[in-house]
Amino acid sequence: MSEADFIARLQAIATDPAARGLVDDAAVLGDLVLTHDMIVEGIHFLPDDTPQDVAWKLVAVNLSDLAAKGAAPIGVLVGYSLGDDDWNAAFVDGLDVALRRFGIVLLGGDTVRVPAGTPRSFGLTAIGRAPAGGAPSRGGVKPGDQLWVTGTIGNAGLGLAMRLGQVEPNETCLAAYRRPQPQLTFGRAVVPHVHAMMDVSDGLLIDAQRMAAASGCELGIMLESIPLSAALLAVRPDILDTRLAAATAGDDYQLLFAADPGAAAAIREISAGLNVAVTPVGHAGVGTGIMLTHRAQRIALPAHLGFMH
């Protein structure tokens, strides 16, 4: 059973409005926003990643979901599989650093002990407070909306390739893989201007496809507009192939959002004030799914749109 099939079964029992039909990355219960993500050794992180980096990633990927709802984080609950004592201690140190960095508190959780040699797995529930106007879903896109992304796309995917020894390393891409930076401040600031918002966790194209499905419209992505960092281009100068690879790599934890074109000036003002780059990468139209273009010419979607369990 695929992840999508399993979620489809869960949707039959997740009938409370707070669950949002399980098409969002968070539940909204009154003024609270709740999200839960797990990370597993060998899938979401490498066996030789440092425990401090693993702790940071566990916190950051959950806070990124809160960022996409414009929510202010309050605290977290941690599920932890006990293993090597030194590793456990280093993880706690890293968790402390991450929580202090984002100004949130540990509220509780659970621990279990697993047999030696079992891949490590961790879960975290992050709790935030919704913005005054309500948390945007990924299902609010309207035909005619402009699509935007924050930051650059593809650095973390290239950072993973560097960690695997496939590419000569550089610090920018390695840092993007090891220590993702959830866009919490920007998410809260831009909420009044967006119709829909989600984080880019599994790849820009697959996440845009999910936004399109939730919104019941077609999203057109302009490949040439996808923002790439100078560090990435220094390693992979083939622009077309690099943009396709970046758009399907995942682990970016940037924000993808839709807004009326008339909000562009306000969005750019917020971007400048917070020093967070934003780039328009497409538009919404009538239809379904996603459409990919390059310099106004429609091109075929790649067979692989992003990460799926």
Side-chain angles (χ1 to χ4, degrees):
M1 184 183 295
S2 71
E3 179 183 28
D5 292 336
F6 184 69
I7 291 173
R9 284 180 175 266
L10 290 176
Q11 285 170 331
I13 60 175
T15 55
D16 191 278
R20 293 190 162 188
L22 302 188
V23 297
D24 226 340
D25 268 344
V28 181
L29 188 63
D31 67 342
L32 295 179
V33 179
L34 304 100
T35 186
H36 182 92
D37 270 355
M38 300 175 66
I39 60 174
V40 179
E41 182 180 0
I43 298 175
H44 304 99
F45 65 93
L46 299 176
D48 61 344
D49 282 345
T50 71
Q52 293 91 339
D53 284 345
V54 174
W56 180 283
K57 181 168 282 191
L58 181 64
V59 172
V61 301
N62 280 277
L63 295 188
S64 186
D65 287 338
L66 294 186
K69 305 302 109 186
I74 298 171
V76 300
L77 306 168
V78 176
Y80 189 83
S81 56
L82 291 164
D84 175 79
D85 287 348
D86 289 341
W87 209 98
N88 295 339
F91 178 94
V92 172
D93 290 343
L95 182 65
D96 183 42
V97 168
L99 296 179
R100 289 177 185 275
R101 163 63 178 80
F102 296 113
I104 54 178
V105 296
L106 177 64
L107 298 172
D110 190 29
T111 57
V112 295
R113 188 170 294 279
V114 297
T118 302
R120 297 179 175 95
S121 62
F122 313 105
L124 185 140
T125 298
I127 304 166
R129 200 165 302 280
S137 74
R138 55 169 74 169
V141 184
K142 302 176 181 180
D145 276 354
Q146 194 169 22
L147 303 178
W148 301 74
V149 293
T150 59
T152 59
I153 300 297
N155 280 0
L158 187 54
L160 174 59
M162 292 171 177
R163 284 284 289 114
L164 293 172
Q166 299 169 352
V167 182
E168 285 295 313
N170 68 53
E171 284 306 312
T172 297
C173 295
L174 285 173
Y177 165 75
R178 289 172 169 156
R179 299 279 175 120
Q181 302 293 325
Q183 297 294 332
L184 288 161
T185 304
F186 182 86
R188 291 198 295 272
V190 82
V191 155
H193 306 287
V194 307
H195 292 153
M197 187 157 58
M198 66 182 295
D199 72 333
V200 180
S201 55
D202 293 334
L204 177 62
L205 294 188
I206 198 167
D207 286 328
Q209 184 182 61
R210 291 164 177 161
M211 181 178 275
S215 299
C217 62
E218 181 183 69
L219 300 189
I221 304 295
M222 302 178 296
L223 191 63
E224 72 276 8
S225 297
I226 294 174
L228 306 178
S229 71
L232 185 148
L233 288 172
V235 177
R236 291 182 171 166
D238 186 327
I239 297 297
L240 182 58
D241 288 346
T242 297
R243 289 191 193 278
L244 280 170
T248 58
D251 260 5
D252 290 304
Y253 301 104
Q254 298 295 338
L255 296 178
L256 169 67
F257 58 97
D260 187 282
I267 291 168
R268 292 193 185 280
E269 183 177 356
I270 293 168
S271 164
L274 296 176
N275 196 28
V276 175
V278 292
T279 305
V281 294
H283 62 277
V286 176
T288 59
I290 59 172
M291 175 181 66
L292 193 59
T293 62
H294 184 251
R295 303 193 185 282
Q297 299 296 312
R298 187 165 184 165
I299 62 175
L301 291 172
H304 170 76
L305 295 180
F307 177 78
M308 292 186 68
H309 288 282

